[in-house]
Structures are given as C-alpha cells and as structure tokens.
Amino acid sequence: MTTLTHRGRRAEAGRSLNKKPSSEEDADRRLNDDDPDDSKDVRLTLMEEVLLLGLKDKEGYTSFWNDCISSGLRGGILIELALRGRIRLEPLSIRKKRLLERKVVLTSDVPTGDVLLDETLRHIKATESSETVQTWIELLTGETWNPFKLQYQLRNVRERIAKALVEKGILTTEKQNFLLFDMTTHPISNTTEKQRLVKKLQESMLERWVNDPHRMDRRTLALLVLAHSSDVLENVFASLADDKYDVAMNRTKDLLDMDPEVEATKARGAEMIWAVLAAFNKS
C-alpha cells in the first residue's frame, strides 16, 4: 500500500433492452456539477484524471518506480461506475457489516460510452457470484490465484486511457528509444486540464479546506483517495511553498487516516469511495 510521501523523498524513489432510466441520466449529467471549477469543454473520468496527474509532462510516461497506479486506476473504475449509478455495495446486513465484506452489485448494465467502464460492467454482469471491492480490484488488475478468473483482467489500461486523452486533445503520441527498446509515450500537449486538477486538489486542502469529507464534493474526495492510492499525490503538492506543502500534506493525511467504516455510514452516495480506500489500506 502506498503511503503519503514527504518533500525529501526522491521523485523517482451491447446497449440495454430497456430505456435508460432518468436517475442514470441525472447521474451522468451531474458527474461534475458538484465542482464549479470543472471544465465545461472536456469531461474526464477519474481514471483519466489519475493518469494525467501521474504522467511526466514532457516525457509522457509515469514513474518507473510507481507500482501502485495500475491497481489505483482499477479502483477508479469502480468509483466511476458507482458515481454513474451502475454499481453499488450490497445493503448492510447482520452478517455483512464491514465495507470489505459487502459485495459489489450491478444496478444497471446501460452502457456509459466509455470503453473501460463498459468492459468492466460486462465483467460484473457475467460473474456467477458477486465479489467484493477488494476482489474486483485484484481481478481487474489480474492479481488473482484463480486461473479461471483471469478472463476478468483489464489489459493495457494505461495505454487505453492515454489514447482517450489523446482523442480529447490533452496528450500527444510519440515513440522514444530507451537503448534496448522503443516505447510509446504520451507527452502532455495541452497543460490546461492538468493545471486545473492540480489547482482543484491544492485548493481543496488549503483555501477551501472544510475539515469534513462529507462537505467535499464526491469527485474531489474520490480523486484525493485515488491519487493517494496510486502514489501520485506528491505530484499534486510538489509546486507548493514549503509551509503550504506541509499544511496540505498534513490535512490530506488526516483525511485519509479517517476510519472508512465510520465515514461510510455517514456518506450519502460515497460508500464506494470509502470501500476503495479501505481496500488499499488493507493491501
């Protein structure tokens, strides 16, 4: 599990038969409505935002030392599907009270229009028995001991997300030679979106700090959790002056050190966010 880093650390260390319900239309329409700073021209998924935060601007690839981002992106897929009203956690019961004991259930198989999200929806629909959040992250990442469940692995996720960002005009595609091999990279061609994300997260921990996760908009809370779980949070606060950096990191640590079980009981529509955090805390 990734931990919050400090400044002294090395930087490198088929469409549904039924008409789409209005509640799902509203969920998709409200994706960014909570956040007045979100761009009205470009809509990014949580996975795209996490990858964008993790990419080196000019080099166009993530740190070779980062072994957390793959599972972090899968956690982002689950949260994104939950925010869009496609999945949820099964209700609390006497036997299953803890977040990581409750199974992920499909509430709608209506396509979202995003390839990765819709592929995951098909996987969740195809399972004979429901799985927990932690198990789904492992299955989607391919980290499972069961060879019969390798079919649920999402392949080439980073490259597919990068291509989506290329189509949205944020990244470009290049080939770079690394002595023994050539690698496709995706330098940032339009820095506006990344700057917006960095500013949003910095301000959420500084000027707009509310000291209560339930007063934060859900997508900002989700992005903080995923940036932490993907080990890219250092990239968000690195440009701050030392005093503001310390404040932002300490507040983020306080937020992420909260008990997901307790916070999930207070959350409205944010259970999946806390469940993903609980899964990464346990791993």
Side-chain angles (χ1 to χ4, degrees), residues 162-180:
K163 286 182 178 179
L165 289 169
V166 170
E167 292 175 359
K168 293 179 179 181
I170 297 172
L171 305 182
T172 187
T173 302
E174 293 181 358
K175 286 281 188 181
Q176 289 195 34
N177 180 269
F178 289 85
L179 297 179
L180 298 178

Side-chain angles (χ1 to χ4, degrees), residues 93-104:
S93 68
I94 296 177
R95 290 177 53 249
K96 295 181 179 180
K97 293 184 177 181
R98 300 187 65 81
L99 289 171
L100 297 185
E101 296 172 346
R102 295 161 63 189
K103 304 295 182 67
V104 175

Side-chain angles (χ1 to χ4, degrees), residues 44-68:
L44 301 184
T45 64
L46 288 168
M47 308 87 72
E48 290 168 347
E49 291 179 339
V50 170
L51 183 64
L52 193 55
L53 290 174
L55 282 176
K56 299 174 183 292
D57 292 11
K58 295 181 180 179
E59 293 87 345
Y61 52 82
T62 57
S63 169
F64 293 128
W65 302 101
N66 189 334
D67 59 357
C68 302

Side-chain angles (χ1 to χ4, degrees), residues 1-6 9 68 227-234 249 253 256 280-281:
M1 174 60 204
T2 180
T3 56
L4 290 175
T5 54
H6 296 281
R9 172 185 168 181
C68 302
H228 164 62
S229 303
S230 302
D231 204 12
V232 300
L233 202 52
E234 170 76 9
M249 291 299 283
K253 184 177 185 302
L256 298 174
F280 283 108
N281 284 347

Side-chain angles (χ1 to χ4, degrees), residues 19-276:
K19 183 181 183 294
K20 187 174 183 178
S22 60
S23 60
E24 289 159 15
E25 292 177 343
D26 292 343
D28 285 346
R29 191 180 303 116
R30 292 195 307 267
L31 281 179
N32 294 312
D33 286 354
D34 290 340
D35 187 355
D37 291 336
D38 272 349
S39 168
K40 301 305 179 184
D41 297 321
V42 181
R43 291 293 192 228
L44 301 184
T45 64
L46 288 168
M47 308 87 72
E48 290 168 347
E49 291 179 339
V50 170
L51 183 64
L52 193 55
L53 290 174
L55 282 176
K56 299 174 183 292
D57 292 11
K58 295 181 180 179
E59 293 87 345
Y61 52 82
T62 57
S63 169
F64 293 128
W65 302 101
N66 189 334
D67 59 357
C68 302
I69 195 168
S70 291
S71 52
L73 292 172
R74 271 70 171 186
I77 290 173
L78 295 179
I79 294 176
E80 187 74 52
L81 285 172
L83 291 179
R84 295 187 184 215
R86 301 311 197 271
I87 62 174
R88 61 174 174 80
L89 294 181
E90 65 181 344
L92 282 166
S93 68
I94 296 177
R95 290 177 53 249
K96 295 181 179 180
K97 293 184 177 181
R98 300 187 65 81
L99 289 171
L100 297 185
E101 296 172 346
R102 295 161 63 189
K103 304 295 182 67
V104 175
V105 296
L106 186 72
T107 55
S108 172
D109 63 354
V110 174
T112 65
D114 180 273
V115 176
L116 283 172
L117 295 178
D118 292 343
E119 184 177 340
T120 304
L121 272 182
R122 290 193 294 272
H123 287 332
I124 294 174
K125 184 179 180 180
T127 53
E128 294 182 1
S129 59
S130 300
E131 303 288 358
T132 64
V133 167
Q134 186 168 18
T135 299
W136 267 118
I137 292 175
E138 293 169 354
L139 291 175
L140 296 174
T141 310
E143 297 177 355
T144 176
W145 57 268
N146 190 339
F148 297 104
K149 294 193 174 184
L150 287 174
Q151 60 183 311
Y152 299 124
Q153 180 182 2
L154 295 179
R155 301 182 183 278
N156 305 316
V157 167
R158 266 182 267 193
E159 182 63 22
R160 292 160 74 182
I161 294 174
K163 286 182 178 179
L165 289 169
V166 170
E167 292 175 359
K168 293 179 179 181
I170 297 172
L171 305 182
T172 187
T173 302
E174 293 181 358
K175 286 281 188 181
Q176 289 195 34
N177 180 269
F178 289 85
L179 297 179
L180 298 178
F181 60 94
D182 290 333
M183 186 174 80
T184 300
T185 60
H186 298 283
I188 298 178
S189 57
N190 181 347
T191 61
T192 302
E193 280 301 305
K194 184 168 184 177
Q195 291 171 350
R196 179 186 66 81
L197 289 175
V198 169
K199 179 183 177 183
K200 177 173 76 170
L201 293 183
Q202 288 180 353
E203 289 184 346
S204 70
M205 292 295 106
L206 296 171
E207 287 85 355
R208 297 183 181 180
W209 176 243
V210 293
N211 198 28
D212 181 358
H214 308 293
R215 292 171 58 196
M216 298 175 68
D217 75 83
R218 290 176 299 170
R219 293 188 70 84
T220 299
L221 175 62
L223 187 54
L224 280 167
V225 167
L226 293 170
H228 164 62
S229 303
S230 302
D231 204 12
V232 300
L233 202 52
E234 170 76 9
N235 300 357
V236 173
F237 300 133
S239 63
L240 292 172
D242 287 349
D243 56 341
K244 290 187 176 181
Y245 175 90
D246 290 339
V247 170
M249 291 299 283
N250 288 333
R251 287 176 175 174
T252 304
K253 184 177 185 302
D254 290 342
L255 178 70
L256 298 174
D257 280 347
M258 291 180 174
D259 187 345
E261 300 290 345
V262 174
E263 300 309 316
T265 62
K266 307 174 187 176
R268 183 178 180 182
E271 278 189 320
M272 189 65 71
I273 300 173
W274 293 106
V276 167

